[in-house]
Amino acid sequence: MGGVDGLGNPLSTDERTAALWRDFCLRFQRQRSGAGDALRKVLSSDPHFGIARATAAVMGGSFGDPDFDANDEVEAARNGAAEHAWERSYVEAASVAADHGPLWGSVDHWFAHHDGCPTDLNGLLLALIGAVTSVDASRHQEIRRRVEWTHAEVGDEPMVLGLRGMEAQERDELDAAEQFAVRALELDPTGSDGAHPMAHVHFERGDHRAGAAWLDEWLPTTDQEADFTTHLYWHAALHRLVLGDIDQVLATYVDRLCGAGPRALPDRTSMLWRLQLHGLVGPGEDPSDTAIDEELAARTGFIPFAFAGTQVALGLAASGDADSLRRLAETAATSKTPGATTLVHPISLALADRIDGDHSAASDRLLAIEHDVPLLGGSHAQREVFEDTLIETLIRAGRAEDASTRLRARLGRRPSALDEAWLAR
């Protein structure tokens, strides 16, 4: 046995497998393409490598990768080589995750693993996903402490810097967020760890021209096959939307957000709904010829986590499908997924009311959960679409004072041509 992981932790495997494992970790942690293939190479090299088997269980059970059977991988992980305490801790947390499915069901186990191994970046990333999808404010706060702890332990790793940058911009600490982003880009110029918080900093400052220009220059340099790259094209389109460059927004929507796979669905649905809210695309219309109606309909019967459910709701609203929105609401009403009953259910019904023309009822539903929307997770830029929906619905309901109060608050935080146009209405 030999080898170490990317941060010096000993591994219960040979040097060749350790090198393959480091390649997987790099792709997984920095959201590059080919992570699944890299993990399969690890398993082929050493079928008895415990943490690799445990990771495959998470990929199958929590991320839905059809190439990995969660139950088989858990059994292999428990029977595999795991000489070190941190490896056994990881296998235990991964076993719980594979059994529960969505990572919100195993977040406390990942926290326990992090307690004993704060330098394990894979474990931290899985803990973070579990925390932000748990719809639990205390866990959202806890993950910040844990990211800071890991940063103190491992130093300037791009993934950790990116997480710190995202945490800082969520707290409106934009100068700090920019510093973390710049440092991450110094270490990995083509990596999304630095590019993502940088895109958010430009957005939250209302500096859309500089943000669009920066992304236009950076995007061609990064991994074009990575799922997360699609999200950064979404950021570029968001800047262009505010700038009024609608032709470019539509081109990005059609070329980059449509047909990019299921992980791009939230970016696609939220962008299409934004286009409709601002009257740039007609109600129920989609500029793309890549249909998503069947994919959306298939997701009305199960809500893996609340943020995903609300993005499906936005897509159904953009399709003008009030009936499917009510079916989604029925699913949410009896779901055990955190936030399904408190957020997905009222949002789905509000959107259905809006499609039916009952803007007063839609406004009431959205106002009732307005202050709980941050619990959905995601970023402020992603959640802003729900603020947009509320504001536009208030305008349609004739509640101009309520709408203008929210618009003036946003304009006081940063400039926006779109908000100024709404305020003029």
Side-chain angles (χ1 to χ4, degrees), residues 243-283:
L243 292 171
D245 189 355
I246 306 308
D247 288 342
Q248 185 60 51
V249 174
L250 294 175
T252 301
Y253 172 79
V254 172
D255 297 339
R256 295 290 180 175
L257 305 187
C258 299
R263 292 190 181 180
L265 188 66
D267 292 329
R268 176 177 181 176
T269 58
S270 65
M271 181 56 67
L272 179 58
W273 183 239
R274 277 180 164 98
L275 290 168
Q276 292 185 8
L277 284 176
H278 292 289
L280 303 171
V281 172

